Amino acid sequence: MTKARRSGFTLIELILVILIISVVTSIALPRLPDFTGARKKESLRTLAYGIQSLHEYASFKKKALPSSMTLTSRSTGRGR
């Protein structure tokens, strides 16, 4: 009696892997929009700080910036 060597996965093993992947996905997907929103806010805050630094540097060098580049503490988030 010789046993033939099997290769591959059984149906039960494949179903278990699909089940685990679906559970992990169902937990992770609802949290995804929160991460993207927080990332956008942080990017905008970083951009505002960069513009603020540019404004301060230009003021230090006594060069005038266009009026559209003036910032208030409210727009940079530092005043809160």
Side-chain angles (χ1 to χ4, degrees):
M1 286 173 83
T2 61
K3 290 186 179 180
R5 186 173 175 104
R6 293 185 339 175
S7 64
F9 299 104
T10 64
L11 182 61
I12 302 250
E13 291 170 333
L14 291 174
I15 290 174
L16 284 176
V17 168
I18 292 171
L19 179 67
I20 291 170
I21 290 172
S22 64
V23 168
V24 169
T25 303
S26 68
I27 291 171
L29 279 181
R31 296 181 183 180
L32 188 61
D34 293 338
F35 290 131
T36 56
R39 195 176 325 133
K40 284 180 185 178
K41 286 179 185 178
E42 189 60 34
S43 295
L44 289 175
R45 186 174 295 127
T46 302
L47 179 62
Y49 288 145
I51 294 172
Q52 179 75 29
S53 297
L54 174 66
H55 185 267
E56 290 171 0
Y57 177 75
S59 297
F60 178 73
K61 291 290 192 176
K62 305 261 188 226
K63 293 181 182 178
L65 285 177
S67 61
S68 63
M69 291 196 63
T70 56
L71 296 175
T72 62
S73 62
R74 183 176 181 203
S75 64
T76 61
R78 289 185 181 184
R80 294 182 185 180

